[in-house]
Amino acid sequence: MEKLAGWIKNANYTVVMTGAGMSTESGLPDFRSNKGIWKDRDPIALASTEALQNNRKAFFSFYQSRIKALEEVKPNNGHYALADWEHRGLLQSLITQNVDGLHSKAGSKNMAELHGSIAALRCHNCGYKLSSEAYLENKTTCPECGGFFRPNVVLFGEMLPEKAILFAEQETAKADLFIVLGSSLSVAPASAFPAEAKENGAKLVIINKTTTELDDHADLVIQEHSISEALEETNKFL
């Protein structure tokens, strides 16, 4: 952690990318583990463009339950540490694969949410937005055009938002220190960003409970500590 702190202090441009492991420490399930969201569930039947068009009752019920569950979830110390680093000028930007909005709740500002945010709904027809709390009030109809409200997240069958991808690509190109937190680096295109940063000459740090395909190329790999523990320990040297 002392080594990592030294790299952070000496870096000109630090970028962090977070995955599901960042949120599991707040009590949220991941997606594909034995206890994950998709255990015994078909994501295509619940969270796809097909479900949005043809099975709206199941689609709405699934996302209503997710939004309700998120009401009880708070950012963990790792989320707050990253927001603090940004505030102190130690972290320049954040790329996240998570849709739970916990980074925003913790105070992070300069970031790309690659898969959108479940904190908001948008009309599938006209794009009108409102808070996801409307789902908890069983509101699904847009007051502007009568269209259907859906979570502002990327569904199975949809492309990632161009603006978020462009932001991530530009930030990756600037990084001389790239830190991965809680991602198995198995889902494209997010998995490409740390590899690109490393190819551009950045130091690569991976903090994850399990091995990743980039471990052998990383300058520092930490598996024995949770993300929160690792960041809190690093903070002692900053």
Side-chain angles (χ1 to χ4, degrees):
M1 309 310 173
E2 188 173 1
K3 177 188 287 187
L4 175 56
W7 289 351
I8 293 171
K9 287 190 287 189
N10 291 325
N12 293 314
Y13 210 93
T14 298
V15 176
V16 165
M17 187 178 82
T18 66
M22 189 84 207
S23 298
T24 56
E25 292 187 22
S26 285
L28 281 175
D30 60 14
F31 288 90
R32 302 193 181 278
S33 73
N34 291 333
K35 296 180 180 180
I37 287 174
W38 301 131
K39 172 70 173 175
D40 299 325
R41 281 172 162 172
D42 179 7
I44 303 303
L46 299 172
S48 66
T49 53
E50 182 180 323
L52 173 64
Q53 297 293 348
N54 303 315
N55 196 7
R56 284 189 175 172
K57 185 176 180 180
F59 178 92
F60 169 74
S61 178
F62 171 70
Y63 277 107
Q64 185 186 52
S65 65
R66 283 204 69 194
I67 290 165
K68 188 172 183 178
L70 275 168
E71 280 196 318
E72 310 298 322
V73 177
K74 297 179 180 179
N76 59 55
N77 290 340
H79 291 105
Y80 286 114
L82 295 178
D84 177 58
W85 290 1
E86 181 182 345
H87 180 71
R88 293 161 62 187
L90 297 170
L91 173 63
Q92 277 61 56
S93 63
L94 178 68
I95 304 165
T96 185
Q97 297 170 272
N98 302 329
V99 301
D100 48 53
L102 293 178
H103 284 299
S104 292
K105 286 184 179 180
S108 291
K109 303 291 185 186
N110 193 36
M111 65 176 175
E113 294 173 311
L114 295 179
H115 297 271
S117 173
I118 205 169
L121 304 176
R122 78 170 188 266
C123 174
H124 192 58
N125 291 342
C126 72
Y128 181 87
K129 288 185 180 181
L130 78 170
S131 168
S132 61
E133 291 178 0
Y135 255 35
L136 302 181
E137 300 168 358
N138 295 314
K139 295 178 181 177
T140 59
T141 303
C142 176
E144 296 292 313
C145 73
F148 181 74
F149 277 126
R150 44 79 56 92
N152 193 32
V153 299
V154 178
L155 305 175
F156 288 92
E158 290 183 326
M159 301 289 288
L160 298 188
E162 289 184 13
K163 185 176 180 181
I165 292 293
L166 180 60
F167 176 93
E169 290 174 344
Q170 291 173 338
E171 294 302 293
T172 296
K174 297 176 188 175
D176 58 353
L177 175 60
F178 196 103
I179 305 172
V180 177
L181 303 175
S183 176
S184 62
L185 300 178
S186 59
V187 178
S191 57
F193 297 131
E196 289 174 10
K198 181 63 180 174
E199 289 175 7
N200 291 338
K203 284 188 172 67
L204 177 60
V205 178
I206 300 174
I207 303 177
N208 194 53
K209 284 188 175 181
T210 58
T211 57
T212 79
E213 294 180 8
L214 284 182
D215 284 1
D216 290 342
H217 302 282
D219 298 277
L220 179 64
V221 176
I222 298 171
Q223 291 182 349
E224 62 273 18
H225 296 282
S226 71
I227 295 168
S228 293
E229 289 171 346
L231 300 190
E232 287 178 327
E233 191 67 25
T234 302
N235 248 341
K236 295 177 181 179
F237 301 100
L238 290 173

